[in-house]
Every structure is written in structure tokens, then in C-alpha cells.
Amino acid sequence: MSKAFNPVLSGLPTTIFETMSRLAREHEAVNLGQGFPDDPGAPDIRAKAAEAVISGSNQYPPMMGIPELRQAAAAHYKRHQGLELDPDSEIMVTSGATEAIAGALFALIAPGDEVVLFEPMYDAYLPLVLRAGGVPKFVKLKPPHWRFSADDLAQAFSPRTKLVLFNNPLNPAGTVCPPEDLTMLAHFCMAHDAIAVCDEVWEHVVFDGVRHQPLIAFPGMRERTVKISSAGKIFSLTGWKVGMVMAAPNLMRVLAKAHQFLTFTTPPNLQVAVAYGLGREDAFFDAMRRDFQEARDYLAKGLTDLGFSVLNSRGTYFLNIDIAPLGESDDAEFCQRLVRDIGVAAIPVSAFYAEDPVKTIVRLCFAKKRATLDAALERLARLKV
Ligand code: GLN
């Protein structure tokens, strides 16, 4: 064939997560790259899904999601984040947060619209923005604090800004955006009449007593924010790919148009189990946070003891190490060596930048059993820091 395929998609490399997981398998490495827990997940929630496969419906559920899940989500977000959401007109179930993000970008961006993106950004964002015809405007965040200033925002926003795609807590940085920065971002959105598409999949995975503050709850943001959540992250079941989208009815109507032709629906049995899980008591979510926080501390201490320079992590499954003190200046090359020679897979953070990347930060997933972390630390000791 001589005709060109879609230029955005055909030019893309395979995602760094898939690439590193494949290398991890090839080299029998301990995989601290792609972010997924190695615990099987809550037995009661998995049992609900299994029971619903056998005894429940396996036909198309309603396009917006089963009512049971939309009601459970409304109750969950009222209880945990003080949000008032109408389950009929303001909540939609998608096949994972990535579908929700893609749908929001396709539904809201008109070709030529400017889209503000914060780097490091999750690798799906930029191709989806470009595929929708958006013109990216980057705000570059740098370690160790990864924060933005009013000047940074002023440079990225313009009268052509249609939307901001914002991830908080931030993968890969492991940071939680301080409330004063959220207020500043809200002001910029309002001043430029921009929509905020908020990828908040890590909202429950926060540590050190931090509480997640959704941008949609900030003054003036209720009508211009799309909040995106992930059952995979809430319940540490990343393969389930059940996402939830929350937005005011006028936004939701157009988001639903994108969803109807992307996936249309999401497996009903998983929705039943997620509805059940969202109603679990606070202690359930506290225990999840406590376990991951202990794993974070365990890996951070092990790495520090080995001489690595570990950056703070307040949320997500990830912590970062700074490899500059090791005399390293190319994270991608370092991660290749790490997986091939040492047998540990990690993610080079430069993969989260479109241009002029930060190249001295490496992301490690701590959402693992102690034995997995021990095996990784034992191998990393061979690096002789
Ligand atoms: N969210 C996961 C991570 O950051 C990756 C998911 C994927 O592989 N698409 O590691």
C-alpha cells in the first residue's frame, strides 16, 4: 500500500510501559516499571465480579453505566470528597480512565484549539490531543518539587486555550498539587474560559495524611471541569479498566457522544463489583493507603541505604530516584542497562516529556510485595553506588 496512515498514530513508538514490561520478561528482571500491584486484590470485590459473571447479566448494560454504579459513585464522592453529583446526568462509566480521557479530548477539542499540558505527562495525552486536532502548549515541571508558577501558566494560556489536561496526584512525579496551586490553576481556567479535564485516577492513593482535593470542587470550576477516576487504581485491580467520568450535564452530554462510539459500554459484571467496592467502609481505603505507604517507605529506605538519591513521593504507586549524583545523564540508556545487566525494570521519566526532557530521573513502582522489593534491592546493590 502506498497511501499514508494516520500521521499521529502511525509515527508512535510502543508505549514505554509495554516496552519495559517486555524487556523485563525477556531478561527475567524484577519489574518495577509498569505500575501495577503484585497483590491479587480484595477477595470480596473479585468474588462479586465472579458472581455477577455467573448469575448476573452479560448483555449490553446501559451506555452511561449501570444505575447501581452511578449511584454508588455519587455516594462515594459525596462521602470522600464532599461532591454533589447527580447520578443520572453527571456520571458516566467508561472502559478505563484512558477511554474517558480520549473521549473528553475528542468531544471537546475543535481542530486548532490550544490545550495546556503539564510535563511530565502520561504518555497517552499528547497523541490523543494531536489526534483531536489540538495544539499543545506545555508547562514544564521539574524535580525535585515539580510545581508550576503563575508565570508558567501565563505563558501557556492564551485566548485560544480550550482546555487544560491536568493530572493530580501526578504520575510519574508522585506529587500532590498544593491547594494554593489548584486555586491558581482554577483562576487561569476561569479567566480564559477554559475547561479542565482532570485525570484524578490516583485520588485515593495518597500518603502521609494528605487528602485529595478535586479541582471540580474549587470555586467557579463546577461547570467547567471533567473529573476522571479509575476503579483499577481505587481497588488496585489495574486490568479491570473501569473508569468513571463526572461533569456538569452540558459537558456530559457531549462526553457521552464520544463514549457511544469509542466503547459504548463497559463489562456489566465488573461494574457490579465496582459499585459494591465503592461502598466499602473508610477503613478499607485507609488500609490500602497504609500498605502502599509502608511499601513506599520500605523501598525508599532500601534505596537510600544503597546510596541512591530518592525524591519524595506523596501519592501514586511510584517514587523517583535522581541518577545525576551517579554521574548518569541519560535515563533511557540507564534503564536499558538496568534491565539487561542488573535485572530490574524501571521507567525513564524522559518518556513523559515531548521536548527537551529532564533526563536524570528514573521511576520505580513500589506497589509490590516485600519479596519483590527485596529482590529488586538485592540486584540494585550490584550497581555499586
Ligand atoms: N499507568 C501505568 C503506569 O504509569 C501504565 C499503564 C499502561 O501500561 N498503559 O505505569
Side-chain angles (χ1 to χ4, degrees):
M1 278 174 65
S2 61
K3 289 190 177 149
F5 298 138
N6 179 270
V8 175
L9 297 182
S10 61
L12 286 178
T14 302
T15 89
I16 188 70
F17 309 112
E18 181 68 24
T19 302
M20 292 312 299
S21 282
R22 184 178 49 73
L23 283 173
R25 282 190 297 273
E26 248 170 63
H27 295 278
E28 293 178 8
V30 181
N31 191 356
L32 303 188
Q34 193 176 36
F36 60 91
D38 60 1
D39 183 272
D44 58 336
I45 298 176
R46 289 184 292 125
K48 273 277 172 211
E51 185 187 299
V53 169
I54 301 301
S55 318
S57 166
N58 288 282
Q59 307 307 336
Y60 297 127
M63 183 181 96
M64 298 300 285
I66 62 169
E68 208 176 327
L69 176 50
R70 285 182 283 134
Q71 281 151 16
H76 182 86
Y77 286 107
K78 184 169 170 53
R79 178 156 68 100
H80 290 273
Q81 295 173 10
L83 301 177
E84 298 284 348
L85 295 158
D86 173 23
D88 294 326
S89 61
E90 297 189 309
I91 300 180
M92 178 169 76
V93 179
T94 58
S95 293
T98 304
E99 188 221 308
I101 293 164
L105 298 175
F106 295 162
L108 300 172
I109 294 172
D113 285 343
E114 291 182 4
V115 177
V116 175
L117 294 162
F118 295 78
E119 297 180 283
M121 63 192 160
Y122 189 59
D123 69 344
Y125 292 179
L126 184 59
L128 292 172
V129 166
L130 295 173
R131 190 66 189 86
V135 178
K137 296 287 164 186
F138 299 110
V139 175
K140 193 173 206 167
L141 310 180
K142 289 188 179 154
H145 57 72
W146 312 93
R147 283 177 75 176
F148 52 81
S149 67
D151 277 353
D152 295 333
L153 296 185
Q155 283 189 19
F157 278 79
S158 88
R160 289 177 301 282
T161 305
K162 170 62 74 67
L163 67 83
V164 181
L165 178 49
F166 182 61
N167 177 215
N168 180 43
L170 178 62
N171 175 12
T175 49
V176 174
C177 188
E180 60 270 30
D181 294 5
L182 292 170
T183 301
M184 185 159 72
L185 180 59
H187 283 141
F188 270 84
C189 290
M190 284 183 283
H192 294 84
D193 192 23
I195 301 164
V197 175
C198 295
D199 171 353
E200 300 187 348
V201 301
W202 302 103
E203 59 195 345
H204 274 298
V205 191
V206 287
F207 312 122
D208 307 324
V210 167
R211 283 201 77 81
H212 176 72
Q213 302 203 30
L215 194 63
I216 195 170
F218 280 65
M221 295 307 288
R222 183 65 174 79
E223 302 299 314
R224 58 173 70 253
T225 302
V226 178
K227 172 178 167 64
I228 294 173
S229 300
S230 157
K233 303 298 192 294
I234 296 174
F235 300 111
S236 317
L237 299 165
T238 61
W240 276 24
K241 304 296 290 181
V242 178
M244 288 165 289
V245 189
M246 284 138 285
N250 66 325
L251 284 170
M252 187 55 83
R253 274 190 286 275
V254 64
L255 300 179
K257 299 288 164 61
H259 170 65
Q260 71 182 348
F261 294 137
L262 282 172
T263 63
F264 178 49
T265 58
T266 298
N269 6 73
L270 297 181
Q271 293 193 48
V272 169
V274 170
Y276 160 80
L278 288 176
R280 289 224 39 188
E281 69 290 357
D282 289 0
F284 173 83
F285 301 98
D286 290 341
M288 177 270 285
R289 278 187 277 274
R290 189 200 55 225
D291 289 350
F292 285 138
Q293 181 172 322
E294 282 172 11
R296 175 202 64 175
D297 292 344
Y298 189 81
L299 182 62
K301 180 172 187 320
L303 289 166
T304 307
D305 289 349
L306 288 177
F308 287 97
S309 162
V310 179
L311 275 60
N312 280 335
S313 157
R314 311 296 296 281
T316 75
Y317 294 156
F318 312 112
L319 61 72
N320 289 286
I321 56 171
D322 183 355
I323 57 169
L326 309 178
E328 301 283 349
S329 55
D330 185 342
D331 59 346
E333 192 263 333
F334 177 83
C335 287
Q336 290 284 338
R337 257 190 289 137
L338 205 63
V339 71
R340 282 176 214 281
D341 304 343
I342 304 291
V344 175
I347 300 289
V349 165
S350 59
F352 295 77
Y353 288 83
E355 52 201 19
D356 191 20
V358 171
K359 292 174 80 174
T360 50
I361 305 292
V362 168
R363 192 193 82 172
L364 297 164
C365 175
F366 54 73
K368 305 289 178 191
K369 298 188 176 102
R370 289 295 184 280
T372 311
L373 297 178
D374 281 336
L377 286 166
E378 210 170 281
R379 291 170 181 215
L380 286 166
R382 287 186 225 145
L383 257 181
K384 298 233 178 6
V385 185

